[in-house]
Amino acid sequence: MSLYCGTVCRRKSFWCYRLLSTYVNKTRYLFELKEDDEACRKARQAGVFYLFHDLAPLLQTSGRQYLVPRLSRAELERLLGKFGQDSQRIEDSVLIGCSNEREAWFALDLGLSSASSIHKPEVEAELGGSFISLRRAVSQLSSMDSSLLFTARALLRWHDGHQFCSKSGQPTKKNVAGSKRVCPSNNIIYYPQVKVWKRPSGEKLQKRWAWKWKTYSTPRPSTGPFPIARS
Ligand SMILES: [Zn+2]
């Protein structure tokens, strides 16, 4: 019995260690991508993209659940080309996470920028899905998907609302990952604050999505990295 217990404990601590080291590796990698434009640009070449239109994510129906389709870089470029958009549009995407295997995930909104907005029904027909309001879809999404999509949506919305410097009125420029925006005229740096609170049980998660995030963009010293908080 004690031998069995010992084996179970060792196995358990092995898995705890594996989980922790995976988490640390992922956090480190994400931090690197948020700070290093070149590394992020490289990761974006091999990354995958979640699409939004006016802050509604692209979803596909599968029985009673929604699936969240992801596009490779090549697929996204093909799609943009088909709708007469330059692949430069990918620059607007923001980093939202990564897999254990260091596959970087990005979100891109095809409808927010009114000058180059892509017509929604055409994209939906092309990709075999629909852009559905997240609040409407949340009960039919896995908790991991909904958490990721809510974070992505908040980040996209933050960037949309911080296109201009509140002090100088000049256009701000996003870094590659989208972890900050900089005003070139007075070097003020704006950092998004995106927070997701979720309940531990799936049942309560659906009902009690307490989703809040601060819209303030206090200039912080450029040495102070501020990762996006996700619980
Ligand atoms: Zn400014």
Side-chain angles (χ1 to χ4, degrees):
M1 185 62 189
S2 70
L3 184 69
Y4 173 75
C5 272
T7 313
V8 169
C9 284
R10 266 201 301 281
R11 242 181 231 166
K12 242 185 171 172
S13 59
F14 171 73
W15 280 110
C16 285
Y17 172 75
R18 276 285 299 270
L19 273 176
L20 184 68
S21 81
T22 306
Y23 174 78
V24 170
N25 281 337
K26 261 170 75 168
T27 309
R28 263 197 208 137
Y29 183 55
L30 281 175
F31 182 77
E32 183 194 332
L33 297 186
K34 284 173 188 172
E35 291 303 303
D36 183 342
D37 280 355
E38 215 31 67
C40 192
R41 213 167 266 129
K42 226 169 153 185
R44 205 170 53 186
Q45 287 294 334
V48 296
F49 296 82
Y50 291 80
L51 294 187
F52 285 72
H53 197 285
D54 277 323
L55 301 174
L58 178 74
L59 302 174
Q60 286 170 338
T61 320
S62 166
R64 293 168 68 186
Q65 282 287 104
Y66 280 124
L67 296 180
V68 191
R70 303 150 16 127
L71 272 70
S72 70
R73 167 93 186 202
E75 287 167 331
L76 181 58
E77 280 182 358
R78 215 166 29 240
L79 180 83
L80 290 171
K82 189 160 186 178
F83 293 100
Q85 301 268 322
D86 198 73
S87 59
Q88 188 70 22
R89 188 74 194 267
I90 298 173
E91 293 286 323
D92 295 340
S93 64
V94 292
L95 178 73
I96 53 170
C98 73
S99 71
N100 292 345
E101 292 74 34
R102 293 191 158 204
E103 174 192 67
W105 304 334
F106 295 85
L108 177 65
D109 198 299
L110 299 173
L112 277 181
S113 164
S114 55
S116 49
S117 168
I118 298 180
H119 206 213
K120 193 162 82 168
E122 288 162 23
V123 184
E124 289 178 330
E126 178 69 24
L127 297 174
S130 307
F131 292 101
I132 299 169
S133 146
L134 206 40
R135 289 214 175 272
R136 242 182 63 203
V138 67
S139 61
Q140 283 156 272
L141 284 166
S142 73
S143 61
M144 255 178 79
D145 280 343
S146 56
S147 172
L148 185 70
L149 292 177
F150 268 108
T151 304
R153 188 184 71 161
L155 199 52
L156 290 168
R157 180 183 278 162
W158 183 86
H159 280 281
D160 189 50
H162 290 79
Q163 301 277 320
F164 295 93
C165 173
S166 57
K167 213 157 196 181
S168 65
Q170 293 297 309
T172 54
K173 200 173 178 320
K174 136 185 174 326
N175 71 338
V176 177
S179 58
K180 61 186 170 192
R181 297 191 75 90
V182 183
C183 169
S185 75
N186 52 17
N187 290 323
I188 289 181
I189 302 175
Y190 294 88
Y191 290 95
Q193 299 222 343
V194 179
K195 282 189 179 174
V196 177
W197 283 279
K198 58 181 182 182
R199 302 277 156 178
S201 107
E203 187 58 35
K204 282 181 184 167
L205 175 76
Q206 295 172 8
K207 290 178 184 161
R208 289 200 182 199
W209 256 106
W211 171 252
K212 283 181 193 168
W213 65 297
K214 294 175 185 171
T215 47
Y216 73 67
S217 23
T218 318
R220 285 163 189 274
S222 56
T223 47
F226 195 80
I228 299 161
R230 277 187 66 194
S231 61

